[in-house]
Amino acid sequence: MTGVLPRTSEVGHWLWTLVEAGLASLWWIALLALAAAAAWVAAAVWWRRRAVRELSDRTRVELVPATTFDPDLLEVGRVAGRLASVRTASGTLPRRAAAVRIRVVAGEEGRLHYWWEGPKRSAGVLRQSGYRRVEVTTPQAPSERRWRIRFSDAAPLKRGGSW
């Protein structure tokens, strides 16, 4: 059994040798940490600029339901699943650039108008409404109005929380 485990003095000597080597090359460690931090900052800036570029180039479709439009629960679930697949269809985009925005406005004659807005890469998925008795059109001109969404007296939902 002797000779299998190192002596305590040998372990201490090895540790001291490692500490001396680390102190001798401390500038290399500092340089490596600085390079890693610079690479992380550069990647974060690139990812943010990519998100801004993708957000400025989005596609919008308008859904105009018929007056007899009354979807059942299965139809709503199917369309929700299709909207959830927009992120996958758009590829690797920043999370906020891959999101789908849904706007609902009461139009003429009390008919609701829906706008789905999403990444240009997933325009094909957005154009497939999935609802029966719904006309899918492309808006004539993009709205110049900036939509501000505000929730008064509403606490924010916790991430991963339930309704």
Side-chain angles (χ1 to χ4, degrees):
M1 281 278 188
T2 58
V4 176
L5 295 174
R7 292 187 206 138
T8 309
S9 61
E10 291 177 355
V11 172
H13 177 70
W14 291 342
L15 287 175
W16 182 248
T17 304
L18 285 175
V19 168
E20 283 180 338
L23 290 175
S25 60
L26 187 61
W27 67 275
W28 278 103
I29 295 171
L31 185 65
L32 184 65
L34 185 64
W40 182 79
V41 167
V45 167
W46 174 77
W47 195 248
R48 178 167 170 76
R49 286 187 178 177
R50 184 168 181 218
V52 168
R53 185 178 63 242
E54 291 292 333
L55 282 170
S56 67
D57 188 31
R58 293 172 63 86
T59 187
R60 181 186 293 183
V61 295
E62 182 177 0
L63 298 136
V64 183
T67 56
T68 59
F69 177 67
D70 187 23
D72 58 354
L73 194 55
L74 288 173
E75 201 171 12
V76 172
R78 200 170 39 247
V79 171
R82 181 171 291 138
L83 286 178
S85 70
V86 166
R87 182 177 172 97
T88 305
S90 62
T92 55
L93 288 178
R95 182 182 300 188
R96 64 184 182 159
V100 175
R101 178 172 280 171
I102 301 172
R103 301 180 193 275
V104 181
V105 176
E108 301 167 2
E109 302 171 4
R111 292 173 65 187
L112 289 177
H113 293 263
Y114 296 87
W115 284 280
W116 289 349
E117 181 180 312
K120 189 160 259 188
R121 293 179 179 187
S122 59
V125 177
L126 290 172
R127 287 190 188 106
Q128 299 172 355
S129 80
Y131 287 122
R132 293 172 292 162
R133 299 179 305 274
V134 171
E135 181 184 353
V136 179
T137 62
T138 304
Q140 286 77 19
S143 174
E144 295 298 326
R145 179 178 179 218
R146 295 281 182 189
W147 299 81
R148 300 233 9 156
I149 301 171
R150 296 180 188 211
F151 299 100
S152 60
D153 300 331
L157 292 175
K158 293 181 180 172
R159 185 176 202 146
S162 62
W163 292 92

